[in-house]
């Protein structure tokens, strides 16, 4: 019997990939040694090892853990990321940028993009909205510097995230967690024993025969969902009809002298290719749909479009896009790939891990393990997955490409009503409808709408009512300020060398 209303004494995390060690680090930091935290992982099974691009909220996770940024970037051979360049997504030969930051600068109560649409419709400006993004100005110049805290300066209008080596990241967090009392056990979990009275997990058994008990189990075992699915049968919502890619071939290659401060995503015949620049190598992968291309052809397409010499044999990963029906079932919470995977297009998986952990901490159960807490966790996490899912689907739906089967399929596919509702507002009125909990804020939606040619039928009404604002002058001043700011910044490679050069970079 579980004892009611008493704090947990033992938590077991199964899995030592990014999810396992992020969870271990955050729980150790929050719970201290009040509770024994054990992580079980199997080196023989290994990790997926490819989550290398992040989005800005990861900086809050690091701050919460008290991690020094320069040390972190150095030890993970990391680099800085200002956004994602999308090449060939709208049509072949076209590119746009999804920036981590706003467009333009505030000079009126009307949002900048309203004026941009009005001026562009009137033919008074020709530049794409990208040209008013500080992130893109920096990205295309290949420079990096931290944002300014002074909101009067154009250098305050951008945000940033990181790229890093996934294996070094897990090792970094392992050192952090073990220094704070997390116990690591090497071994393969071969069985989970359930309590007869309530079906809760009582213990896990390793291939050595050793058995480990806990009150709370965190399943970070990867795609398979060893506890949440194999033991507890939580179920899986399959989203392949909206997000049809189901394979990725990944390979690292040699890097050049310049290190781009952004991720590049290039649409291919049956999916898209990522390029993630690190200090010691460049990560590459071709995310594709096996209905439309063979593994052999996908590998060939990837290997013939690398920026440098391949540094390993290509590796294929298989996945099913979707999410676990219940993320928290009985006394088990799934975090990481065991919880779901929506494909890496907008680097959201590590973010979902981060928020899964923070949500678990906010709803920390005691030995009673109330189903009410699980219910709230599941409701919040489901809503978060669905909001991100819609943003990802938009990239596939809003394409003019009809040169291959994948793009013809996605351009024609039915989409969730929740996404259609948002598109209708933008297409008809140039307006953004968003939930305040939305991970992707207005600039992200603007980037993809305008970048992928979802153009409003008319300029937003508010901008049409503000004729007195000297918009042209303000826009010219913003563009000039951006150019001057970029000219002062060091190249990204220089910034890394001066502040956080990795020993792996040699
Ligand atoms: P894994 O890395 O698979 O780790 C599972 C762990 O469980 C391992 O330690 C394994 O040994 C252990 N384990 C499994 N079974 C057992 C057992 N029986 N006994 C003991 N231990 C066991 N995310 C991003 O945020 N950005 C990206 O750019 C990005 N790119 C991606 C590209 C691809 C192609 C894929 C597939 C994913 C990508 N992701 C990305 C997702 C990211 O890689 C994962 O979210 C992240 O690595 C966490 O994985 P994990 O720890 O859940 O699983």
């Amino acid at each position: 019997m579980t004892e009611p209303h008493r704090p947990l004494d033992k938590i077991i995390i199964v899995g030592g990939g990014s999810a396992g060690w992020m969870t271990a680090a955050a729980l150790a930091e929050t719970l201290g040694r009040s509770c024994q935290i054990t992580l079980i992982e199997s080196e023989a099974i290994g990790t997926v090892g490819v989550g290398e691009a992040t989005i800005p909220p990861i900086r809050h996770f690091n701050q919460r853990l008290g991690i020094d940024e320069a040390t972190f970037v150095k030890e993970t051979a990391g680099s800085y990321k200002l956004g994602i360049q999308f090449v060939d997504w709208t049509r072949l030969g076209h590119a746009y940028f999804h920036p981590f930051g706003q467009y333009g600068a505030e000079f009126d109560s009307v949002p900048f993009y309203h004026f941009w649409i009005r001026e562009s419709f009137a033919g008074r400006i020709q530049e794409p909205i990208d040209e008013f993004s500080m992130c893109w100005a920096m990205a295309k110049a290949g420079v990096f510097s931290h944002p300014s805290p002074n909101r009067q300066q154009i250098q305050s209008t951008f945000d940033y995230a990181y790229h890093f080596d996934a294996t070094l990241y897990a090792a970094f967090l392992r050192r952090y967690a073990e220094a704070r009392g997390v116990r690591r056990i090497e071994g393969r979990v071969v069985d989970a024993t359930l309590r007869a009275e309530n079906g809760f997990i009582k213990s896990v058994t390793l291939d050595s025969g050793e058995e480990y008990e806990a009150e709370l189990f965190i399943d970070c075992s990867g795609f398979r969902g060893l506890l949440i699915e194999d033991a507890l049968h939580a179920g899986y919502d399959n989203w392949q009809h909206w997000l049809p890619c189901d394979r990725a071939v990944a390979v690292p290659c040699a890097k050049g002298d310049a290190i781009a401060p952004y991720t590049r995503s290039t649409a291919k015949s049956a999916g898209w290719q990522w390029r993630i620049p690190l200090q010691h190598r460049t990560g590459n992968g071709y995310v594709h749909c096996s209905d439309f291309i063979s593994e052999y052809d996908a590998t060939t397409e990837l290997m013939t479009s690398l920026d440098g010499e391949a540094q390993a044999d290509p590796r294929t990963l298989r996945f099913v896009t979707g999410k676990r029906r219940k993320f928290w079932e009985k006394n088990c919470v799934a975090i990481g790939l065991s919880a779901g995977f929506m494909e890496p297009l907008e680097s959201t998986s590590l973010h979902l891990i981060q928020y899964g952990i923070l949500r678990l901490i906010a709803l920390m159960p005691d030995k009673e393990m109330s189903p009410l807490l699980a219910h709230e966790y599941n409701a919040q996490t489901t809503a978060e997955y669905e909001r991100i899912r819609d943003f990802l689907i938009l990239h596939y739906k809003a394409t003019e490409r009809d040169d291959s089967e994948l793009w013809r399929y996605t351009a024609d596919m039915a989409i969730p009503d929740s996404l259609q509702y948002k598109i209708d507002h933008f297409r008809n009125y140039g307006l953004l409808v968003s939930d305040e909990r939305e991970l992707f804020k207005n600039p992200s939606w603007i980037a993809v709408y305008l970048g992928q040619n979802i153009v409003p039928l008319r300029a937003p009404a508010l901008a049409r009512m503000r004729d007195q604002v000297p918009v042209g002058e303000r826009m010219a001043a913003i563009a000039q300020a951006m150019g001057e700011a970029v000219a002062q910044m060091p190249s990204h490679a220089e910034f890394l060398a001066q502040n956080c050069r990795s020993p792996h970079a040699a």
Side-chain angles (χ1 to χ4, degrees):
M1 283 290 287
T2 49
E3 293 172 59
H5 313 305
R6 293 209 19 236
L8 302 177
D9 291 320
K10 286 184 185 171
I11 297 176
I12 286 181
I13 299 166
V14 174
S18 303
W21 285 112
M22 284 173 81
T23 306
L27 289 184
E29 194 277 331
T30 305
L31 307 179
R33 292 173 196 256
S34 67
C35 170
Q36 185 185 76
I37 301 167
T38 303
L39 184 146
I40 303 171
E41 68 173 315
S42 161
E43 265 173 27
I45 294 175
T47 67
V48 64
V50 277
E52 309 207 313
T54 63
I55 51 178
I58 188 137
R59 291 171 46 212
H60 304 305
F61 187 73
N62 285 357
Q63 277 158 15
R64 184 182 172 121
L65 267 54
I67 292 171
D68 170 65
E69 178 177 292
T71 310
F72 170 74
V73 175
K74 182 176 161 186
E75 294 198 15
T76 60
S79 66
Y80 289 87
K81 173 176 172 187
L82 293 159
I84 306 176
Q85 186 187 31
F86 287 91
V87 179
D88 293 344
W89 277 81
T90 315
R91 69 191 91 88
L92 288 168
H94 178 273
Y96 72 94
F97 196 70
H98 170 191
F100 294 155
Q102 69 188 81
Y103 289 106
E106 283 163 27
F107 56 81
D108 192 72
S109 53
V110 174
F112 179 89
Y113 87 92
H114 284 212
F115 284 131
W116 180 87
I117 292 174
R118 187 189 81 183
E119 294 300 290
S120 161
F121 280 12
R124 287 190 287 269
I125 50 168
Q126 269 69 48
E127 296 89 350
I129 198 159
D130 284 354
E131 298 303 322
F132 296 95
S133 155
M134 189 65 201
C135 285
W136 175 234
M138 292 166 67
K140 74 178 164 180
V143 300
F144 186 78
S145 197
H146 284 117
S148 164
N150 180 353
R151 287 177 58 88
Q152 303 300 314
Q153 293 187 329
I154 198 76
Q155 295 93 324
S156 70
T157 61
F158 69 94
D159 204 345
Y160 66 92
Y162 314 106
H163 303 117
F164 49 64
D165 179 312
T167 308
L168 296 177
Y169 180 54
F172 177 83
L173 290 177
R174 175 177 165 183
R175 287 193 293 278
Y176 177 101
E178 286 185 324
R180 285 159 184 79
V182 172
R183 177 173 64 144
R184 174 189 179 276
I185 292 172
E186 170 64 33
R188 185 189 189 104
V189 173
V190 290
D191 196 17
T193 306
L194 306 186
R195 292 183 188 279
E197 68 274 21
N198 58 11
F200 280 37
I201 300 174
K202 174 173 172 280
S203 62
V204 288
T205 307
L206 306 195
D207 48 0
S208 60
E210 285 165 300
E211 193 178 341
Y212 293 91
E213 288 194 14
E215 293 116 6
L216 175 65
F217 289 83
I218 306 184
D219 186 346
C220 297
S221 66
F223 286 126
R224 179 168 161 195
L226 194 69
L227 304 181
I228 196 76
E229 197 57 53
D230 288 1
L232 297 177
H233 314 295
Y236 197 76
D237 289 327
N238 183 318
W239 286 343
Q240 282 178 305
H241 50 297
W242 288 316
L243 296 169
C245 290
D246 59 354
R247 303 267 195 287
V249 196
V251 71
C253 76
K255 67 170 194 67
D257 290 338
I259 304 178
Y262 60 92
T263 306
R264 190 175 65 197
S265 162
T266 306
K268 313 280 282 184
S269 62
W272 61 277
Q273 181 174 337
W274 79 75
R275 184 192 68 175
I276 298 179
L278 303 175
Q279 289 193 45
H280 58 319
R281 59 168 169 79
T282 299
N284 309 277
Y286 183 5
V287 177
H288 58 276
C289 176
S290 61
D291 284 350
F292 302 125
I293 194 168
S294 68
E295 208 166 301
Y296 178 82
D297 287 347
T299 307
T300 308
E301 234 186 284
L302 174 69
M303 299 304 275
T304 51
S305 54
L306 301 178
D307 288 352
E309 201 182 322
Q311 290 186 330
D313 290 333
R315 189 161 73 95
T316 300
L317 297 143
R318 293 163 182 230
F319 53 86
V320 177
T321 53
K323 65 156 192 70
R324 206 59 67 192
R325 235 164 251 152
K326 287 185 187 167
F327 304 96
W328 180 336
E329 170 70 345
K330 302 192 186 288
N331 62 338
C332 174
V333 181
I335 293 182
L337 296 172
S338 60
F341 186 54
M342 286 185 279
E343 80 142 84
L345 186 55
E346 286 281 357
S347 323
T348 44
S349 288
L350 294 168
H351 175 84
L352 284 163
I353 293 171
Q354 171 180 342
Y355 273 80
I357 297 166
L358 297 181
R359 196 169 288 130
L360 172 61
I361 290 173
L363 294 168
M364 182 55 65
D366 58 19
K367 286 183 182 170
E368 183 194 13
M369 205 59 68
S370 164
L372 204 57
L373 298 172
H375 183 271
E376 179 60 19
Y377 184 95
N378 288 330
Q380 285 186 25
T381 311
T382 296
E384 186 177 36
Y385 265 76
E386 288 175 351
R387 288 191 295 265
I388 293 175
R389 174 201 68 193
D390 284 1
F391 186 59
L392 299 182
I393 295 172
L394 176 65
H395 298 65
Y396 283 97
K397 177 72 182 170
T399 181
E400 293 170 7
R401 284 187 64 159
D402 61 1
D403 54 295
S404 61
E405 276 183 273
L406 172 78
W407 301 110
R408 286 193 290 273
Y409 169 78
T410 61
D412 280 350
M413 71 184 169
I415 57 173
D417 292 345
S418 45
L419 174 58
Q420 189 61 55
Y421 181 78
K422 287 182 169 165
I423 294 176
D424 288 347
H425 276 80
F426 194 76
R427 204 188 284 285
N428 288 308
Y429 311 108
L431 295 179
L432 298 161
V433 185
S434 79
D435 181 317
E436 61 184 22
R437 291 162 304 168
E438 193 87 53
L439 167 62
F440 291 103
K441 307 285 181 217
N442 288 353
S444 300
W445 287 87
I446 295 168
V448 182
Y449 283 142
L450 294 175
Q452 295 198 203
N453 216 16
I454 296 198
V455 179
L457 296 172
R458 64 197 104 172
L462 205 53
R464 288 184 278 133
M465 296 160 86
R466 299 280 295 161
D467 274 347
Q468 69 276 34
V469 183
V471 172
E473 241 172 68
R474 298 283 155 82
M475 285 188 164
I478 288 169
Q480 189 182 341
M482 283 182 178
E484 287 168 5
V486 165
Q488 308 277 318
M489 293 181 182
S491 76
H492 183 215
E494 282 163 1
F495 186 91
L496 291 168
Q498 280 159 18
N499 299 289
C500 36
R501 184 179 164 78
S502 161
H504 299 274

